[in-house]
Amino acid sequence: MSDAPVQTQAGLEAQPPMPVRRLHNFLYCPRLFYYQWVENIFQENADTVEGSHAHRNVDRPSRIEDPTKLDLPEGTQIRSLRLASEKLGLVGVVDLIEGGPEGAVLIDYKKGSARRDEAGERVAKEPDAMQLVAQSMLLREHAISVKEAFVYYAADKRRVPVDVSEERTRECLEKLDQAKALAAEGRCPPPLQDDPRCLYCSAYPICLPNESEFWREPKGEPITVKRPPRPEDDDGEILIVQRPGAQIGFRGGQIVVVLKGDTIRALPSMQVRAVYVYGAVQITTQATHAFLEQGVSVSYFSPSGRFLGMLNGLPASGVDTRRGQYRLFDQPTTCLAVAKEMIRAKIHNQRVMLMRNGEPPEKAVSEMMQLRDQTSEAHTMTELLGLEGMAAALYFGNFAGMLKSSDGAGVDFSSRNRRPPRDPVNALLSMGYSVLCKELAGICHSVGLDPFLGVMHQPRYGRPALALDLMEEFRPLIVDSVAVSLINRGEIAKDDFISGSSGVFMNEDGRKAFWEAYGRRMDTEVSHPQFGYSMPYRRMLEVQARQVWRFVRGEASGYVGFTTR
Ligand code: SF4
């Protein structure tokens, strides 16, 4: 269970006892502390994983019936001792206590190396040292006097002494009060600026310190961000299962797909990034638990590819973000301002798509540019959607010009149609939009946004309006591009579709081809127009959702759409 307080709000009086490691976070960076303690957002990175590894020998707790009656004769060792103090409002796990002739010796294990002082001597880093001071306070509360304290740095393979004097105790109490005051304030502190601590911070992909600064007040000029907000576990696979009767299970750390008693697929569960199932596919409870624990979403589609819904764990953060979202997205002027950017970016990207893949008439290209530029002048949502509609007519009116091998593949395109799609190209587009919308709904959910309340698409039962809004600028770049490339490369043809009275849909081979092309596209690296770095489309979707997240939390002054050259 989480050790975080229930979404701290301004005015919260009774905070639960704070874990000592959260005090460590506070001293490292108050914003990190806020994410971890108040919002319960935790992202592993190589450093946190290594940190757990450094603790592996001390994480086997000694059996202690009653810590208040702790006896520590010389030579005794007690590992992973959990202590709590209501008076201090603090809880913590002491890695190792050794009984010494004049009192206890306290040791905390850390990965990495000690800091060097001006004389070149190894000294403990301040958050590490203060963590030991807090632990010694807890021990004193249990009538154990601490004679000496050390941080053991795994990379240095040595103990570094820490001062746990009365003076340091007073400092620690002050810091604890400051941390609690910040938690009660209910306001996330601003990011550090150009600070090396950010390079090692596990919250970097969520915090986006440089991007946040840009979004706070976009000045139009791009900035250079050296470290893309890309988690280290960016690899991983989307498991797609569409064979009727297949069962997805969990065995010995592996996800296994079984059909008629035969294992047709097995892969380590940590390697699965998302699961898509079509039609009559079963998932065992064990596999479901594994997916929920690892934050893997499971999306359900009908046999014909209609998106039905998804299984997701609880979002990391919620109340503050959602409150901000409901408040802001209830204001028509705010919604219009964000929607203008989304539609501007969409028209821009449609125009780029036409120019990249064909030779559209000059007139259409220039009219689309005008429509794109007019979006900033729209006074109402109706006016804006009118511009979008005109641009869409020009775009889809010239869409066929992008299909170079339509004759060979036996598919062609005359106009956009849907519900149901009436030809293979429209079937491809409908399927792609449905999948992308699902992907964005999952991202909104995981960052703590309500996918069902957007700025442009109206809320309706079962309609992820915000996901649909965010999808606008990515439709041409991801889905239309997948459709065009599948047809132009000859990777899909007419016989990969089923035609009937209820429309045209892809068959199993068609879906397989689609998923391969879609996966390739999502993994394609693309340059960010404002920050200079390249990242896969999959990550760019998240960056845009994080921008909305910032905006509804009052940390960004607006929204800037994603465009490509
Ligand atoms: S990335 Fe930097 S500013 Fe953000 S939480 Fe981490 S240390 Fe703090």
Side-chain angles (χ1 to χ4, degrees):
M1 205 171 88
S2 154
D3 60 9
V6 177
Q7 201 80 23
T8 300
Q9 303 297 324
L12 182 86
E13 280 157 18
Q15 290 185 31
M18 185 184 296
V20 171
R21 66 178 177 281
R22 297 295 163 237
L23 181 66
H24 184 282
N25 293 152
F26 177 76
L27 293 161
Y28 188 85
C29 168
R31 187 166 164 100
L32 175 66
F33 161 81
Y34 195 88
Y35 283 146
Q36 307 270 27
W37 176 231
V38 181
E39 302 199 62
N40 195 20
I41 298 172
F42 191 81
Q43 179 117 22
E44 288 275 15
N45 71 357
D47 286 349
T48 56
V49 171
E50 236 183 277
S52 313
H53 189 67
H55 277 90
R56 68 197 185 284
N57 287 329
V58 286
D59 280 350
R60 295 183 200 113
S62 304
R63 284 176 176 273
I64 306 292
E65 296 296 327
D66 181 358
T68 58
K69 298 188 183 124
L70 212 55
D71 189 21
L72 271 173
E74 197 175 344
T76 330
Q77 286 197 331
I78 297 179
R79 295 173 189 277
S80 294
L81 178 65
R82 187 180 164 83
L83 296 167
S85 162
E86 226 170 275
K87 186 175 142 209
L88 294 170
L90 205 58
V91 292
V93 178
V94 177
D95 283 349
L96 181 62
I97 314 169
E98 293 177 348
E102 295 169 47
V105 179
L106 183 56
I107 297 136
D108 195 54
Y109 283 70
K110 293 283 176 218
K111 65 160 203 81
S113 313
R115 186 173 67 80
R116 298 275 184 171
D117 67 9
E118 282 167 8
E121 293 296 319
R122 284 189 172 89
V123 288
K125 292 167 189 155
E126 179 59 9
D128 300 345
M130 210 39 108
Q131 191 170 350
L132 270 168
V133 177
Q135 288 171 352
S136 69
M137 279 162 37
L138 278 171
L139 280 164
R140 283 190 205 116
E141 282 286 304
H142 289 83
I144 298 166
S145 92
V146 177
K147 174 69 182 158
E148 288 177 291
F150 299 90
V151 180
Y152 176 86
Y153 284 101
D156 295 339
K157 293 198 177 77
R158 69 177 66 194
R159 293 178 175 187
V160 175
V162 168
D163 173 7
V164 290
S165 62
E166 284 302 315
E167 194 188 334
R168 290 288 279 164
T169 302
R170 276 194 298 280
E171 270 181 56
C172 186
L173 285 168
E174 269 172 36
K175 296 292 177 197
L176 185 59
D177 284 346
Q178 288 169 13
K180 287 182 179 174
L182 175 59
E185 198 183 315
R187 193 180 300 273
C188 185
L192 302 176
Q193 290 299 304
D194 289 328
D195 194 295
R197 277 173 284 181
C198 296
L199 297 176
Y200 308 100
C201 176
S202 61
Y204 187 92
I206 293 161
C207 171
L208 307 178
N210 302 298
E211 292 87 338
S212 296
E213 202 41 35
F214 176 88
W215 291 328
R216 201 169 56 80
E217 216 169 322
K219 298 189 178 66
E221 286 301 304
I223 59 167
T224 302
V225 179
K226 291 195 192 96
R227 181 184 166 190
R230 187 176 187 156
E232 281 151 56
D233 62 348
D234 211 25
D235 300 335
E237 235 181 272
I238 296 181
L239 177 67
I240 302 159
V241 184
Q242 48 177 342
R243 308 284 287 274
Q247 186 188 64
I248 303 174
F250 179 69
R251 259 198 329 251
Q254 292 217 313
I255 294 297
V256 286
V257 184
V258 177
L259 183 66
K260 293 181 184 158
D262 295 331
T263 298
I264 55 171
R265 190 79 208 280
L267 71 169
S269 69
M270 297 303 286
Q271 213 172 302
V272 180
R273 189 168 59 194
V275 180
Y276 296 165
V277 294
Y278 284 81
V281 173
Q282 313 297 323
I283 304 181
T284 65
T285 307
Q286 291 86 340
T288 305
H289 287 184
F291 295 142
L292 288 172
E293 271 170 20
Q294 289 167 27
V296 172
S297 66
V298 181
S299 301
Y300 292 89
F301 294 86
S302 71
S304 62
R306 190 164 55 86
F307 175 54
L308 299 173
M310 66 199 302
L311 173 77
N312 259 318
L314 288 173
S317 98
V319 177
D320 289 342
T321 300
R322 286 180 187 225
R323 274 189 176 159
Q325 183 183 354
Y326 299 144
R327 199 173 50 242
L328 273 178
F329 291 0
D330 209 23
Q331 298 169 9
T333 46
T334 306
C335 289
L336 181 61
V338 176
K340 278 183 189 179
E341 253 309 285
M342 289 171 167
I343 297 303
R344 181 193 69 81
K346 178 186 181 181
I347 299 175
H348 175 98
N349 292 337
Q350 284 176 326
R351 184 172 171 272
V352 168
M353 185 69 193
L354 284 181
M355 293 194 298
R356 260 190 206 165
N357 293 286
E359 290 172 1
E362 189 53 45
K363 186 166 176 289
V365 170
S366 106
E367 278 177 22
M368 286 184 81
M369 189 163 72
Q370 283 169 20
L371 289 166
R372 177 197 68 188
D373 295 344
Q374 283 167 22
T375 53
S376 61
E377 310 294 327
H379 294 100
T380 62
M381 196 64 85
T382 310
E383 203 181 316
L384 179 68
L385 296 180
L387 296 171
E388 184 209 9
M390 285 190 266
L394 285 166
Y395 176 65
F396 284 112
N398 289 282
F399 195 94
M402 295 192 282
L403 304 177
K404 297 191 175 67
S405 60
S406 59
D407 289 345
V411 294
D412 51 25
F413 181 86
S414 55
S415 64
R416 174 81 182 116
N417 56 63
R418 58 206 175 120
R419 293 199 199 106
R422 297 193 294 275
D423 58 73
V425 179
N426 276 294
L428 264 173
L429 294 178
S430 292
M431 164 94 170
Y433 296 148
S434 167
V435 168
L436 184 58
C437 175
K438 175 241 107 272
E439 192 125 8
L440 277 159
I443 291 171
C444 288
H445 180 81
S446 68
V447 305
L449 290 161
D450 183 343
F452 293 93
L453 182 67
V455 293
M456 205 170 6
H457 290 86
Q458 291 307 303
R460 266 194 227 140
Y461 182 78
R463 184 195 218 195
L466 180 58
L468 286 164
D469 290 347
L470 278 165
M471 184 168 79
E472 293 295 359
E473 59 206 53
F474 289 104
R475 277 176 191 255
L477 301 178
I478 296 178
V479 177
D480 303 0
S481 169
V482 165
V484 168
S485 103
L486 272 171
I487 295 164
N488 288 352
R489 289 173 179 221
E491 290 171 348
I492 205 161
K494 203 169 185 177
D495 53 11
D496 292 320
F497 296 85
I498 306 161
S499 184
S501 57
S502 56
V504 174
F505 302 98
M506 270 176 267
N507 62 18
E508 195 180 319
D509 286 344
R511 286 203 297 265
K512 207 164 159 230
F514 166 83
W515 280 116
E516 273 168 24
Y518 181 79
R520 274 200 310 265
R521 189 63 182 161
M522 288 303 249
D523 289 337
T524 302
E525 300 257 337
V526 57
S527 291
H528 195 284
Q530 280 91 35
F531 306 136
Y533 49 62
S534 290
M535 277 200 309
Y537 271 112
R538 201 181 300 285
R539 286 285 153 213
M540 284 300 178
L541 299 178
E542 191 180 325
V543 168
Q544 292 304 90
R546 288 251 169 241
Q547 198 190 152
V548 174
W549 186 64
R550 288 270 171 277
F551 178 59
V552 300
R553 290 158 60 97
E555 296 178 76
S557 57
Y559 178 81
V560 185
F562 179 87
T563 52
T564 184
R565 287 191 206 104

